């Protein structure tokens, strides 16, 4: 190598290093207390000379999905899926025209739907989520997610994933964290697209589930989805889901509603440095603004408890430069 | 760098390469059909130019534990733990002296124990595995595993892990497989030592479980272990446990008993190249010899079905150069 080549090479290396430094891994976060809390936490737990150092094996971070990683208004995405599915199946069920809760769904009668209560919702979920094999459901969910459009933003739901949270997931993983979804949503509804949207593989998705049955169909083994609840991964269920799937307590948890209260509590009650954060929907212009008064993603008790528990509240409107992945 | 230095360096590099080649990752396996099946399978699924190539994300391998990764005779290790635990707790329960199934345990009355049936075994398990927090149980299990000794080999059970299988686990991981335990044993009984013994982290242990309850004790959140079965990860339960925890079908499965039949069936029924293997206990001298006639690890139907399903039967006596990790 001659002198000119050597000099050129050094220059290229320097430029590349400079570029790498300039590229902020949390570029969609405005400077402020939320971004600072994340950066300082990660710095401390990954610094071998810090008292707060945590070995890579124990760097587990858990994320709620609806309202934390993607949009949950005007209703949970999975509920939209269920309602669309009822409409799709309706021609095979003429009796639904006069039978609740299906009648309300088919007529788009939101008032009647809201009045259905738990039993009606359960009936809609079981009708649309059970009675097929896991492979069939996987296909149904994936087909819907790639074709359905959000009523306000008119784009596929996977484009309504929050860019700052995607950056946070990647930032944590680049610091040897393992990232898990811990959601009240259906585990099999999230898995088909979580890898692509969040970089989270199926084994790192924890969610609610219905019972499965193993059986042979023409000699071919299948897992059949039964119309019976197996596990509800919400509220007190979240720490249980975490224990069952992950087996050790996370050191960081991210949620946005009272359904995440116990997950935040369980995570931040551990010894050593912990990070708990709440996404507060404060941006009516770019997304939605809601907290204490909403049917989807109610944030009330967790908001009150944030201060005393040291949970950092993310102000979407102030803290996020961009909201959506494809802004 | 002068010529002599350059030559020396080249020599060192050559030597190191030679050493690396000489170090067989499956050194405890004798040459034969079992070792060949493993090596050829891994070669094909990792070769981008092979029709059987599988992307790293889908390289999932599942392992039964008792009798597949470690010893299960004269009884399941976890049953030994439960019996020891009964003896340890006995001073606090004077009534056990006259009450079954505890009387049989305390008197070492194996005949009465064998006659207890499912109800008696369940009572022993619940008494010893429930009523404490997950953290407390973790400590109890870990303390026992480091102090208890196997009745025949007189060493800690963690020294009765099969060296060829540990090499297989490492060989698969070095080829970008993710390795999971899928065992009928208790998930929380295995997790405290699976990382050290097998290199498998808690999140990659799937097993049977009891129900948990989240509650605050003096303001501190705890997960309490309830005396109620949650999930039995055996037989038809294994594919369900796999789906619940891993979310995609494995491409390789390793078992040793009829309890692994459905796991092998589910794994090898997938499209593309698959590997199913059965550890056959044929070595009465170095370990134990048993199959169709045994209370622990009965291998009957799966042995009959191996040929037609293309499952490779590992002959411990012939195929394994060494049996135990610390031979």
């Amino acid at each position: 190598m001659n002198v000119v080549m050597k000099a050129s090479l050094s220059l290229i290396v320097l430029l590349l290093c400079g570029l790498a430094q300039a590229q902020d891994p949390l570029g969609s976060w405005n400077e402020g207390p939320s971004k600072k809390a994340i950066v300082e936490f990660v710095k401390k737990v990954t610094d071998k000379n810090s008292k707060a150092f945590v070995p890579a094996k124990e760097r587990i971070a858990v994320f709620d999905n609806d309202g934390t990683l993607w949009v949950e208004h005007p209703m949970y995405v999975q509920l939209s899926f269920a309602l669309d599915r009822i409409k799709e199946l309706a021609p095979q069920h003429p009796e639904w025209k006069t039978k609740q809760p299906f009648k309300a769904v088919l007529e788009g009668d939101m008032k009647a739907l809201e009045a259905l209560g738990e039993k009606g919702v359960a009936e809609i979920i079981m009708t649309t989520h059970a009675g097929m094999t896991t492979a069939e459901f996987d296909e149904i969910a994936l087909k819907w997610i790639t074709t359905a459009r959000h009523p306000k933003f008119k784009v596929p739901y996977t484009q309504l994933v929050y860019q700052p949270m995607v950056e946070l997931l990647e930032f944590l993983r680049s610091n040897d964290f393992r990232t898990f979804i811990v959601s009240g949503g259906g585990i099999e509804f999230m898995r088909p697209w979580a890898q692509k949207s969040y970089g989270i593989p199926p084994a790192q998705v924890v969610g609610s589930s219905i019972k499965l049955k193993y059986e042979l169909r023409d000699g071919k083994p299948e897992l059949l989805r039964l119309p019976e609840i197996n596990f509800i991964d919400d509220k007190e269920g979240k720490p249980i889901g975490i224990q069952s799937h992950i087996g050790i307590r996370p050191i960081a948890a991210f949620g946005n509603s009272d359904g995440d209260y116990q997950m935040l509590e369980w995570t931040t009650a551990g010894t050593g440095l912990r990070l708990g954060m709440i996404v507060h929907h404060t941006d009516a212009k770019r997304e939605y603004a809601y907290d204490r008064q909403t049917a989807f993603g109610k944030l009330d008790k967790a908001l009150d408890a944030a201060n005393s528990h040291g949970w950092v509240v993310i102000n979407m409107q102030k803290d996020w430069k961009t909201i959506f992945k494809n802004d």
Side-chain angles (χ1 to χ4, degrees), chain A:
Chain A
M1 207 184 286
N2 65 34
V3 178
V4 177
M5 273 173 72
K6 268 189 191 168
S8 308
L9 192 66
S10 304
L11 195 66
I12 290 166
V13 170
L14 276 172
L15 278 170
L16 286 174
C17 291
L19 267 176
Q21 276 166 5
Q23 192 103 34
D24 179 356
L26 298 174
S28 299
W29 292 74
N30 288 317
E31 299 305 323
S34 291
K35 183 172 182 175
K36 200 179 160 204
I38 295 167
V39 172
E40 288 194 349
F41 172 78
V42 171
K43 200 177 162 191
K44 280 179 190 161
V45 298
T46 57
D47 175 5
K48 276 197 173 163
N49 299 316
S50 160
K51 271 185 193 170
F53 176 74
V54 175
K57 279 192 176 75
E58 293 162 30
R59 286 182 212 152
I60 306 277
V62 287
F63 290 79
D64 169 58
N65 184 39
D66 298 309
T68 299
L69 295 180
W70 75 348
V71 73
E72 67 180 348
H73 271 211
M75 68 175 85
Y76 296 133
V77 179
Q78 194 171 356
L79 186 53
S80 285
F81 162 71
L83 300 185
D84 279 2
R85 187 80 189 140
I86 293 285
K87 289 170 203 158
E88 202 179 327
L89 295 172
Q92 298 155 47
H93 298 272
E95 74 281 10
W96 285 358
K97 277 183 195 157
T98 54
K99 192 184 165 194
Q100 291 296 18
F102 308 103
K103 184 170 178 279
V105 177
L106 297 177
E107 292 172 356
D109 183 350
M110 287 310 289
K111 225 168 172 177
L113 275 175
E114 277 169 30
L116 286 177
E118 248 178 58
K119 197 174 156 276
V121 172
E123 204 172 343
I124 289 170
I125 294 291
M126 288 312 170
T127 304
T128 52
H129 286 67
M132 70 289 279
T133 69
T134 49
E136 285 161 358
F137 183 76
D138 191 275
E139 208 176 294
I140 292 166
L142 197 58
K143 191 187 157 199
W144 183 84
I145 205 83
T146 48
T147 52
R149 295 288 180 275
H150 186 276
K152 176 174 167 178
F153 298 106
K154 316 286 181 201
V155 296
Y157 288 97
T158 46
Q159 287 186 28
L160 300 174
V161 157
Y162 304 135
Q163 174 62 17
M165 297 305 282
V166 171
E167 288 173 8
L168 173 55
L169 285 164
E170 283 166 5
F171 178 59
L172 291 172
R173 287 193 293 259
S174 72
N175 282 283
D176 293 329
F177 276 73
R178 267 171 304 152
T179 53
F180 287 79
I181 292 174
V182 178
S183 167
I187 189 167
E188 300 293 0
F189 179 73
M190 296 180 280
R191 279 169 163 171
W193 48 270
Q195 176 82 58
K196 203 175 162 196
S197 293
Y198 305 133
I200 295 180
Q204 285 164 224
V205 177
V206 183
S208 298
S209 56
I210 57 177
K211 294 228 183 268
L212 300 177
K213 190 188 171 198
Y214 184 78
E215 64 174 32
L216 294 182
R217 287 184 166 187
D218 304 322
K220 203 181 150 215
E222 297 284 3
L223 287 167
L224 191 68
R225 293 171 57 82
L226 304 181
E228 189 187 340
I229 292 289
N230 178 55
F231 179 65
I232 301 289
D233 190 50
D234 199 30
K235 299 193 169 74
E236 289 83 2
K238 289 207 175 194
I240 294 170
I242 287 169
Q243 181 62 25
S244 160
H245 279 258
I246 310 176
I248 60 171
R249 203 193 295 230
I251 63 167
F254 304 86
N256 78 297
S257 78
D258 286 356
D260 303 312
Y261 190 111
Q262 287 83 357
M263 175 172 86
L264 288 160
E265 184 177 60
W266 175 244
T267 300
T268 58
T271 51
L273 196 64
R274 306 276 162 155
L275 179 63
M277 295 187 88
I278 295 172
V279 175
H280 190 189
H281 292 260
T282 52
D283 199 324
K285 207 176 151 199
R286 293 187 298 169
E287 201 234 10
Y288 295 97
Y290 58 92
D291 45 33
R292 296 179 201 273
Q293 304 292 334
T294 174
F296 303 104
K298 182 177 171 178
L299 175 64
D300 184 37
K301 283 183 191 169
L303 194 58
D304 291 337
N307 205 21
S308 66
H309 280 83
W311 302 334
V312 180
V313 178
I314 297 165
N315 182 330
M316 272 178 88
Q317 199 245 312
K318 272 191 170 176
D319 289 336
W320 288 1
K321 209 172 283 174
T322 51
I323 304 276
F324 297 122
K325 209 172 173 179
N326 294 309
D327 260 5

